[in-house]
Amino acid sequence: MKTTIFSLGLVLSLMACTKETTVNYALFSGKIENVEAKEITLVKSDKSFSKKITLESSGIFMDTIKNNPGLYSFTIGKNKTNLYLNNGDVLNITANAKDFTGTLKVAGKGVETTNYLLFKNKKTRELTGGDKSFYALEEVDFKNKSRNINTILNNVLDTIKGIDPAFKTLERRNLNYTYLLRLSRYVTGKHAYWAKRTGYKPSEGFLDELKALDINNEKEFLVSNIYKQLVIAHYVDKIRALAKKDSIDFMIAKVKVHAAIPNEIIKNDLIFSGAEYGIVKAESFEDYYKIFMNASTNKENNAKITELYNKLSKLNKGQPSPKFVNYENNAGGTLSLDDLKGKYTYIDIWATWCGPCIREIPDLKRVEKAYHGKNIQFLSISIDESKDYDKWKEMIVAKELGGIQVIADSAASSQFAKEYFITSIPRFILLDPEGKIVAKKAPRPSSPELITLLNELNI
């Protein structure tokens, strides 16, 4: 700890000697005792900046955040808190990882804003009492408590001297946005859940304040994460409504709703948010891509989605399947996908820890038996981690698994899984005798559609 104190003293002295020079950085240091983590993660609230800061074996750390003032999340292991850093600040953090919240202390030049944040988090927890008691309140009590929280925090903003003026101005707006966000969450599930009121509908006028919000304020969207969450919540409601009304895939509804946002900045941000996942999960990635490209005007985002689109196109029916080489075969030796050419191949991607995968086993065995001796073979690829290798071997015996049983070379990170964009299991794939794709997402063994497909192929 002496090292940290000495370093802080030195920096403060140097700053004092050069006080006429504009300082374009903040010094961030401290000591975390009884810590197992090897690094700290510092992320700016708008996600525009993130940094890993190495911890010494003693728990001491020190770094410089250059010309990037704003609100940050400070994460070490499972512990997390908020900080505010401005150019010229010299913050020192100390805590014991075994009781991080109870021992956390922040000191130094510019600490006032961070101290407000710590007070805000603590007081909010005290006043709400947690989601269960807070959101179970009746409407009038809920609104009164929410407004009371804002009144207290606004008074504290006026009381604490030295809070960064720019932060204070934004924080006052954020407190109001937080109040509105709580109203939104109250009616979209939290009250119904915690109060056990299935089918709850808000009373007339309860959401009038929320309805008055301008959801096209580009300036607020860029500077306020709370406002951004409100905008996101607004469009999530629209997405759910569209998906239900038109009976369409949620991902297609999502890209359609975001494509219609009038403000270009907000539209480009929200339409790309989650798009790299959405285009993969959409029932029709071609439709998703067409809607996205017609709406998005961000060239960098468009290039990323086009790259994904091209990769997904390689998994269309009739395309050569991605390959795997030398996967360990439970029966002995290794197996490569090319070894299976000559017959249709039904592939099951699974793992011993996957409940839905295990539930498909009886039906998979039933289908295997029904098609025994026909022009099809059944391949099960485990994506278990190396630590579960013995469990994989044991389950093959215990469940009397048939077909061909292999284990992937790098679990879920294997190249084969990546090229098929496997984000959830079980996943089933059907290949023809030439190793070309018949269905990149084949029906499950428990689905009657599988038998229909196999019969159509005259297997």
Side-chain angles (χ1 to χ4, degrees):
M1 192 61 184
K2 290 181 179 179
T3 302
T4 305
I5 293 171
F6 174 77
S7 299
L8 278 170
L10 177 60
V11 172
L12 285 168
S13 297
L14 290 172
M15 283 183 158
C17 292
T18 58
K19 60 182 179 181
E20 294 182 0
T21 304
T22 301
V23 177
N24 66 346
Y25 62 87
L27 184 67
F28 178 58
S29 63
K31 182 177 182 180
I32 311 298
E33 296 179 337
N34 296 311
V35 64
E36 295 181 1
K38 304 298 182 184
E39 62 184 14
I40 292 164
T41 303
L42 197 65
V43 181
K44 200 171 181 184
S45 61
D46 62 4
K47 305 297 189 296
S48 64
F49 174 90
S50 65
K51 191 171 189 178
K52 302 286 187 182
I53 301 172
T54 303
L55 280 168
E56 296 180 13
S57 58
S58 60
I60 290 175
F61 65 92
M62 181 180 290
D63 212 320
T64 301
I65 308 304
K66 188 175 182 180
N67 204 25
N68 218 327
L71 179 64
Y72 289 82
S73 65
F74 168 94
T75 305
I76 180 166
K78 296 180 180 180
N79 297 306
K80 187 174 183 178
T81 191
N82 292 328
L83 301 170
Y84 188 84
L85 296 172
N86 200 357
N87 290 337
D89 286 354
V90 185
L91 291 193
N92 181 250
I93 296 177
T94 58
N96 189 318
K98 291 184 177 180
D99 180 18
F100 185 81
T101 302
T103 60
L104 177 64
K105 292 182 180 180
V106 186
K109 183 176 182 293
V111 73
E112 295 83 4
T113 307
T114 295
N115 278 341
Y116 162 79
L117 291 169
L118 297 179
F119 172 85
K120 174 185 175 181
N121 292 339
K122 181 180 179 181
K123 197 65 179 179
T124 301
R125 286 194 300 268
E126 290 176 357
L127 292 173
T128 61
D131 276 9
K132 183 176 181 179
S133 59
F134 185 51
Y135 285 101
L137 292 170
E138 293 301 316
E139 289 182 351
V140 173
D141 293 332
F142 177 80
K143 272 196 172 183
N144 286 339
K145 179 163 280 194
S146 297
R147 287 168 176 159
N148 183 48
I149 292 170
N150 278 17
T151 298
I152 290 171
L153 294 176
N154 270 296
N155 289 338
V156 171
L157 275 174
D158 290 331
T159 302
I160 299 178
K161 304 301 180 183
I163 291 180
D164 182 84
F167 170 85
K168 183 182 289 190
T169 300
L170 178 59
E171 177 64 3
R172 291 201 190 282
R173 301 201 303 274
N174 275 338
L175 288 175
N176 182 55
Y177 294 145
T178 300
Y179 167 73
L180 296 177
L181 188 60
R182 286 175 178 143
L183 295 186
S184 173
R185 290 172 174 171
Y186 185 92
V187 301
T188 55
K190 281 189 175 287
H191 179 66
Y193 177 79
W194 291 116
K196 302 187 186 305
R197 294 180 62 185
T198 304
Y200 159 77
K201 300 291 182 184
S203 61
E204 185 178 354
F206 182 75
L207 291 177
D208 283 353
E209 295 157 296
L210 185 60
K211 290 175 182 177
L213 178 72
D214 175 11
I215 50 93
N216 291 301
N217 191 323
E218 176 185 315
K219 180 180 178 182
E220 291 295 87
F221 187 86
L222 293 173
V223 301
S224 171
N225 186 53
I226 306 299
Y227 174 83
K228 185 174 182 178
Q229 290 180 57
L230 277 166
V231 174
I232 291 171
H234 169 83
Y235 286 113
V236 166
D237 287 344
K238 286 184 171 293
I239 293 164
R240 288 172 177 160
L242 179 63
K244 183 178 181 180
K245 180 177 74 73
D246 292 353
S247 299
I248 60 175
D249 173 38
F250 182 86
M251 292 303 172
I252 295 297
K254 182 174 183 284
V255 74
K256 279 188 171 183
V257 167
H258 288 161
I261 293 174
N263 182 278
E264 185 175 4
I265 296 296
I266 297 175
K267 176 186 67 178
N268 280 336
D269 186 291
L270 295 190
I271 201 172
F272 181 69
S273 176
E276 291 168 295
Y277 174 82
I279 192 172
V280 173
K281 299 299 287 185
E283 289 180 359
S284 170
F285 73 92
E286 292 94 347
D287 289 346
Y288 188 104
Y289 179 73
K290 183 178 180 180
I291 297 167
F292 182 96
M293 293 301 290
N294 283 338
S296 173
T297 59
N298 184 296
K299 292 182 179 179
E300 183 179 346
N301 293 346
N302 292 354
K304 290 177 180 178
I305 298 304
T306 297
E307 182 181 3
L308 264 176
Y309 172 82
N310 291 335
K311 289 180 179 178
L312 287 167
S313 296
K314 293 180 180 179
L315 299 177
N316 284 341
K317 184 177 180 179
Q319 292 292 321
S321 171
K323 301 181 187 298
F324 64 81
V325 178
N326 294 333
Y327 278 7
E328 180 182 340
N329 190 336
N330 179 64
T334 61
L335 182 81
S336 299
L337 187 62
D338 282 345
D339 297 334
L340 300 176
K341 286 183 177 180
K343 287 186 176 183
Y344 284 92
T345 303
Y346 184 69
I347 303 174
D348 169 21
I349 312 294
W350 73 294
T352 58
W353 46 260
C354 169
C357 301
I358 306 304
R359 289 194 288 274
E360 290 291 332
I361 288 176
D363 287 301
L364 178 59
K365 292 167 75 171
R366 175 182 55 79
V367 174
E368 287 175 355
K369 183 177 180 181
Y371 284 83
H372 180 72
K374 297 188 178 182
N375 191 32
I376 188 171
Q377 55 204 332
F378 296 86
L379 170 67
S380 293
I381 302 176
S382 164
I383 57 169
D384 279 295
E385 300 283 349
S386 56
K387 65 181 179 62
D388 291 323
Y389 174 83
D390 290 340
K391 188 177 179 182
W392 168 65
K393 299 285 283 187
E394 291 165 3
M395 188 170 286
I396 291 172
V397 175
K399 297 285 187 182
E400 298 181 340
L401 302 185
I404 304 166
Q405 300 289 332
V406 302
I407 189 165
D409 55 2
S410 300
S413 298
S414 66
Q415 191 61 28
F416 185 75
K418 286 181 178 179
E419 290 187 45
Y420 265 108
F421 293 93
I422 294 174
T423 57
S424 62
I425 54 175
R427 170 76 174 273
F428 300 92
I429 300 164
L430 182 62
L431 306 181
D432 72 11
E434 295 179 357
K436 294 180 180 179
I437 297 170
V438 176
K440 64 183 178 184
K441 293 182 181 178
R444 296 184 175 202
S446 59
S447 171
E449 294 178 6
L450 177 60
I451 302 301
T452 300
L453 174 60
L454 298 181
N455 289 341
E456 288 175 352
L457 295 169
N458 296 317
I459 296 176

